[in-house]
Amino acid sequence: EDQVTQSPEALRLQEGESSSLNCSYTVSGLRGLFWYRQDPGKGPEFLFTLYSAGEEKEKERLKATLTKKESFLHITAPKPEDSATYLCAVPKQGAQKLVFGQGTRLTINP
Amino acid sequence: DGGITQSPKYLFRKEGQNVTLSCEQNLNHDAMYWYRQDPGQGLRLIYYSQIVNDFQKGDIAEGYSVSREKKESFPLTVTSAQKNPTAFYLCASSLRGLSGYGYTFGSGTRLTVV
């Protein structure tokens, strides 16, 4: 069964304190791994798509990496405005729909 | 600008009442989806449609119904058979094949039973 597991469920950091979020997946024939950011009461917004092991993508303080079994979202020197829930998702095998992890709720304290 | 519009932003339902959530997109996307989001449970798929006049049940379709009469529109009806409808509902659309961005999401509708 296709599954996506994110850890930790919640993470509280001080401003400037770097850390990483984890997304583990079990799906055959990966057709992409997607990261989204979701602010409270809003729809998720696209961050990155990764397609193959070893691939990395960066956007401001965020860098996403991919291995054969998991993806990491590294956040470097975060600011309070980086506080949000971060979701990862993979396409279900043989289907045109995404399977989502439960998300990591990130809080950056000033 | 292209995007997805969900309405209303907030909706209140009385016991035994059916309500319909609207979702419209002008991205020319073929596929549209409805997800339900509850605290701590992530996004769960209710229904999805890949082409007009065709749709499939997702993981939690009981108590919900949809229609896809136009490419741009995918309304969701929450029926009285849905016993616990209080949640945040998200509509999304995508290109066929989930290329590029995967999904584009609407801003959501928060449904509360009163």
Side-chain angles (χ1 to χ4, degrees):
Chain A
E1 181 184 345
D2 300 335
Q3 231 175 353
V4 179
T5 304
Q6 291 187 247
S7 62
E9 289 187 13
L11 181 62
R12 190 177 293 269
L13 301 172
Q14 290 299 122
E15 185 173 0
E17 181 184 1
S18 301
S19 188
S20 297
L21 314 182
N22 178 264
C23 172
S24 298
Y25 62 90
T26 55
V27 62
S28 300
L30 184 68
R31 294 180 288 126
L33 185 141
F34 301 87
W35 281 99
Y36 294 88
R37 170 191 169 127
Q38 186 178 22
D39 292 305
K42 296 187 177 181
E45 292 184 348
F46 171 80
L47 289 174
F48 305 107
T49 308
L50 303 166
Y51 289 102
S52 56
E55 188 175 359
E56 299 183 354
K57 288 193 176 174
E58 289 188 61
K59 180 180 181 180
E60 296 182 355
R61 295 174 293 281
L62 298 175
K63 182 170 78 173
T65 62
L66 182 65
T67 72
K68 288 186 178 180
K69 293 185 177 181
E70 57 192 348
S71 177
F72 293 93
L73 186 64
H74 307 278
I75 182 160
T76 302
K79 298 181 178 181
E81 54 262 42
D82 295 321
S83 296
T85 295
Y86 291 86
L87 300 165
C88 72
V90 299
K92 186 174 177 63
Q93 185 182 10
Q96 301 301 317
K97 54 185 177 178
L98 293 178
V99 177
F100 284 85
Q102 293 167 307
T104 293
R105 189 172 65 254
L106 178 66
T107 304
I108 308 300
N109 294 318
Chain B
D1 284 341
I4 295 186
T5 301
Q6 288 187 245
S7 62
K9 188 171 178 64
Y10 300 97
L11 187 57
F12 298 91
R13 192 193 93 166
K14 295 181 180 179
E15 294 284 349
Q17 194 178 44
N18 292 355
V19 292
T20 297
L21 284 60
S22 171
C23 179
E24 303 273 339
Q25 56 99 358
N26 60 3
L27 299 165
N28 200 32
H29 285 172
D30 292 301
M32 297 186 75
Y33 311 80
W34 275 105
Y35 283 84
R36 170 178 171 145
Q37 189 173 33
D38 296 281
Q41 294 198 44
L43 275 66
R44 292 184 291 167
L45 183 63
I46 305 172
Y47 269 98
Y48 66 105
S49 168
Q50 297 186 8
I51 57 173
V52 174
N53 292 322
D54 187 47
F55 48 83
Q56 288 79 41
K57 292 182 179 180
D59 302 315
I60 55 165
E62 186 175 351
Y64 300 98
S65 67
V66 294
S67 64
R68 187 87 186 276
E69 296 177 1
K70 299 186 300 181
K71 187 175 184 178
E72 302 78 17
S73 178
F74 192 41
L76 173 74
T77 297
V78 184
T79 75
S80 57
Q82 171 50 240
K83 297 306 178 188
N84 184 23
T86 295
F88 189 54
Y89 291 86
L90 286 163
C91 179
S93 69
S94 74
L95 292 167
R96 198 170 292 182
L98 289 173
S99 60
Y101 304 117
Y103 291 170
T104 299
F105 284 92
S107 56
T109 293
R110 185 166 298 281
L111 174 62
T112 304
V113 174
V114 297

